[in-house]
Amino acid sequence: MIFDANTSLGESLYGPRATAEQLLTRMDALGIDRSIVSSFTPRDLDLRRANHTLSEIVAKNPRLIGFARIDPRLGMKSVAELEACQREGFRGVKVDPFEQAFVINSDLVLDFFKECAAARMPALVVSGYPCLSSPIQVGDLAERIPELTIIMEHGGQLAMHGLGIFDCLLVVKETENVYIETSGIPETGTEGLIERSVLEVSPNRVIFGSNSPVNDPAMELERIRVSRIPDNARNRIMGANLAAILGL
């Protein structure tokens, strides 16, 4: 099974767009069985409308699983939206500290992530922004809320220079509730983050994600296929680890 942890639908304030039909066509072409879907940040910034629209799409497509876009800065309004999204069938949340202008481990958003943990809603975090969502900051949030499952997008390497690999490895070694999502990780090889995470930490802590349609899902699949790791680890990364997190 191939299970993509990171795709987006809708029309982004910043330009990218994708429909469910386009996503499903790409999935069929590449042999991807299921995908996590979230809304792009919409042009009108109305995340309630975007989440509701996405819930209707997911309800019609059993291969898709919804992660809600929620602004965690809004206190009880954020919690109310989390509860509404649970009722609509969402299985997790996605947050982008850069787009939403918050620090991932700040006290401002801590109560919201505690509610996510209580609801057993994993948090997919766009990671690697200096001073906002560096691997060390993501790790601090994980230590403060050990019940919260965190999927760290891009392996915390969003800056694409690969200099945060040691911070990322430290975080996954020290915090069992943090998982590495693989899209856009800049280095692949015997010393790459995917290989080192598997061989030095655990094959259970790495999750395939494509960041489609921003990234090319075919290239992101190839990143896993060419990694120098055991085949059983590759199979876990491609889908079994994410399925286990979601209880599927």
Side-chain angles (χ1 to χ4, degrees), residues 148-193:
L148 176 67
T149 297
I150 300 174
I151 303 172
M152 184 164 55
E153 282 193 30
H154 319 304
Q157 311 294 299
L158 190 62
M160 297 296 285
H161 48 48
L163 298 179
I165 183 172
F166 299 108
D167 288 345
C168 183
L169 286 169
L170 175 64
V171 167
V172 294
K173 286 177 181 177
E174 297 296 325
T175 49
E176 295 183 354
N177 51 323
V178 175
Y179 295 77
I180 294 170
E181 184 265 349
T182 60
S183 66
I185 290 177
E187 68 292 308
T188 299
T190 55
E191 296 298 320
L193 178 58

Side-chain angles (χ1 to χ4, degrees), residues 61-195:
N61 294 279
R63 295 170 65 191
L64 307 180
I65 294 177
F67 270 36
R69 293 296 308 276
I70 299 177
D71 187 337
R73 301 171 300 173
L74 304 180
M76 292 307 299
K77 289 184 179 180
S78 302
V79 175
E81 179 62 15
L82 179 69
E83 293 171 347
C85 288
Q86 276 189 286
R87 290 192 295 271
E88 290 177 326
F90 285 90
R91 298 294 306 277
V93 301
K94 178 178 178 178
V95 296
D96 187 328
F98 180 76
E99 284 190 5
Q100 296 173 298
F102 70 92
V103 177
I104 192 65
N105 60 332
S106 69
D107 290 343
L108 175 65
V109 299
L110 192 64
D111 286 344
F112 171 74
F113 287 117
K114 287 180 179 177
E115 292 295 330
C116 291
R120 297 186 179 181
M121 298 271 276
L124 182 63
V125 178
V126 182
S127 304
Y129 292 115
C131 303
L132 295 177
S133 61
S134 70
I136 296 299
Q137 290 172 302
V138 172
D140 179 64
L141 175 65
E143 288 185 346
R144 296 172 76 182
I145 313 176
E147 302 84 11
L148 176 67
T149 297
I150 300 174
I151 303 172
M152 184 164 55
E153 282 193 30
H154 319 304
Q157 311 294 299
L158 190 62
M160 297 296 285
H161 48 48
L163 298 179
I165 183 172
F166 299 108
D167 288 345
C168 183
L169 286 169
L170 175 64
V171 167
V172 294
K173 286 177 181 177
E174 297 296 325
T175 49
E176 295 183 354
N177 51 323
V178 175
Y179 295 77
I180 294 170
E181 184 265 349
T182 60
S183 66
I185 290 177
E187 68 292 308
T188 299
T190 55
E191 296 298 320
L193 178 58
I194 294 171
E195 289 84 357

Side-chain angles (χ1 to χ4, degrees), residues 167-235:
D167 288 345
C168 183
L169 286 169
L170 175 64
V171 167
V172 294
K173 286 177 181 177
E174 297 296 325
T175 49
E176 295 183 354
N177 51 323
V178 175
Y179 295 77
I180 294 170
E181 184 265 349
T182 60
S183 66
I185 290 177
E187 68 292 308
T188 299
T190 55
E191 296 298 320
L193 178 58
I194 294 171
E195 289 84 357
R196 293 190 64 178
S197 298
V198 168
L199 299 175
E200 297 179 21
V201 185
S202 169
N204 300 334
R205 303 286 294 287
V206 184
I207 294 172
F208 164 68
S210 72
N211 196 35
S212 173
V214 177
N215 293 16
D216 180 354
M219 182 190 74
E220 296 300 337
L221 281 168
E222 193 66 12
R223 189 188 307 280
I224 309 302
R225 288 173 175 146
V226 303
S227 297
R228 298 179 181 180
I229 55 177
D231 286 341
N232 63 338
R234 186 173 291 104
N235 292 336

